[in-house]
Amino acid sequence: MGKSVMIKVEKLNKTFGDLHVLKDIDMTVNESDVVCVIGASGSGKSTLLRCLNFLEVKDSGTIYIGGEKVERETHDLNEIRTRVGMVFQHFHLFPHMTVIENIMEAPINVKKIPKDQAYKEAKGLLVKVGLSDKESVYPGKLSGGQKQRVAIARALAMKPDVMLFDEPTSALDPELVGEVLVTMKELALEGMTMIVVTHEIGFAKEVANGVVYMHDGRIVEVGHPKKIFEQPTEQRTKDFLDSVL
């Protein structure tokens, strides 16, 4: 039994004014895949994720989630976003809510889960991300790494099929990056389907089973991490890796 396709993108295009940010993007991500998207700033990586979560409106192309063609006009975007979790560079926690309230908020309000069940599940997620002692703390009292782990727990609270990570460690102090990557590695080991825009080449080498290199709005090369990092076929990929490795 082959793995089912979780996300499929065909001929995706996105422009901002005169800027053509995504150019005919084709991409397939299977169940339990961990795909790292790499490339220089401005290559379209974050916009690709935001289109997959319908935070940006694509100009053309088709997006399938779990085998189903998804369009803004015909689908409930909140329902889609429960299936496709997103973790941002800058956490986006609610500052006026405690850690556990941040995690419980969407399950209660979007999924209409009873409060006691949401609380129990949120406590379990705090254990998972190693923050069970921070339940009643406000985000302002947390380190960046702790905030990001709460953000991951919050996304997981919706029980998504896919997790999108948009440079989840780039706003963190170097010594805090590791704790977030550990949490992400554990998710990967559990079989969570993940698309990760990242500069953490070490993480991509260790955890990903696919790497996508983007340049100037196009996917230039796709392959297994070993192949992309050790024997890239495209000169642009080689040049990029020479600049970061």
Side-chain angles (χ1 to χ4, degrees):
M1 178 78 184
K3 290 199 288 188
S4 58
V5 174
M6 197 60 89
I7 286 194
K8 189 169 189 213
V9 178
E10 291 175 345
K11 298 281 173 276
L12 185 68
N13 282 274
K14 173 70 187 164
T15 53
F16 294 107
D18 295 338
L19 203 58
H20 197 166
V21 185
L22 296 177
K23 303 169 184 171
D24 286 335
I25 296 290
D26 291 322
M27 182 177 177
T28 302
V29 178
N30 292 322
E31 189 185 350
S32 302
D33 278 356
V34 178
V35 174
C36 284
V37 184
I38 62 170
S41 294
S43 54
K45 309 181 300 291
S46 294
T47 303
L48 172 59
L49 287 196
R50 293 175 70 85
C51 285
L52 292 178
N53 201 4
F54 294 85
L55 291 168
E56 297 289 358
V57 185
K58 63 184 168 58
D59 294 353
S60 63
T62 315
I63 296 171
Y64 300 88
I65 297 173
E68 180 186 10
K69 181 177 172 182
V70 177
E71 296 289 353
R72 289 180 79 89
E73 298 69 38
T74 52
H75 287 75
D76 174 1
L77 293 188
N78 277 335
E79 195 267 327
I80 292 162
R81 289 188 189 128
T82 64
R83 291 164 61 192
V84 183
M86 183 127 178
V87 175
F88 300 89
Q89 187 175 350
H90 292 293
F91 329 126
H92 295 329
L93 298 176
F94 297 114
H96 61 287
M97 291 183 183
T98 64
V99 162
I100 198 127
E101 287 167 349
N102 264 284
I103 298 170
M104 290 166 61
E105 196 260 346
I108 290 171
N109 292 316
V110 180
K111 281 199 155 177
K112 309 297 180 209
I113 287 173
K115 200 167 180 179
D116 53 346
Q117 184 190 337
Y119 177 71
K120 196 170 138 199
E121 290 178 2
K123 275 183 81 83
L125 288 167
L126 281 177
V127 172
K128 187 192 211 37
V129 299
L131 291 171
S132 48
D133 58 334
K134 301 293 183 195
E135 178 183 320
S136 50
V137 172
Y138 287 90
K141 295 273 192 284
L142 299 176
S143 72
Q146 290 169 333
K147 285 179 191 166
Q148 193 59 293
R149 285 186 283 154
V150 173
I152 292 171
R154 184 182 57 180
L156 290 173
M158 298 301 278
K159 301 193 172 73
D161 299 326
V162 183
M163 286 277 280
L164 309 177
F165 292 87
D166 188 9
E167 305 208 11
T169 58
S170 61
L172 302 180
D173 295 329
E175 70 272 16
L176 301 176
V177 168
E179 64 192 51
V180 173
L181 294 181
V182 164
T183 299
M184 292 170 66
K185 282 176 199 168
E186 285 166 3
L187 283 182
L189 287 171
E190 288 167 14
M192 174 60 78
T193 310
M194 296 159 61
I195 305 176
V196 185
V197 169
T198 186
H199 295 294
E200 299 289 337
I201 302 295
F203 174 81
K205 282 181 176 170
E206 186 182 344
V207 182
N209 63 337
V211 173
V212 172
Y213 169 60
M214 288 183 70
H215 176 79
D216 192 28
R218 294 184 194 280
I219 290 181
V220 174
E221 192 163 356
V222 179
H224 189 273
K226 197 166 171 60
K227 174 167 184 326
I228 297 281
F229 294 127
E230 292 174 20
Q231 297 167 310
T233 44
E234 298 289 330
Q235 187 59 45
R236 278 179 302 187
T237 316
K238 288 178 188 153
D239 292 346
F240 171 73
L241 290 171
D242 284 345
S243 73
V244 295
L245 289 176

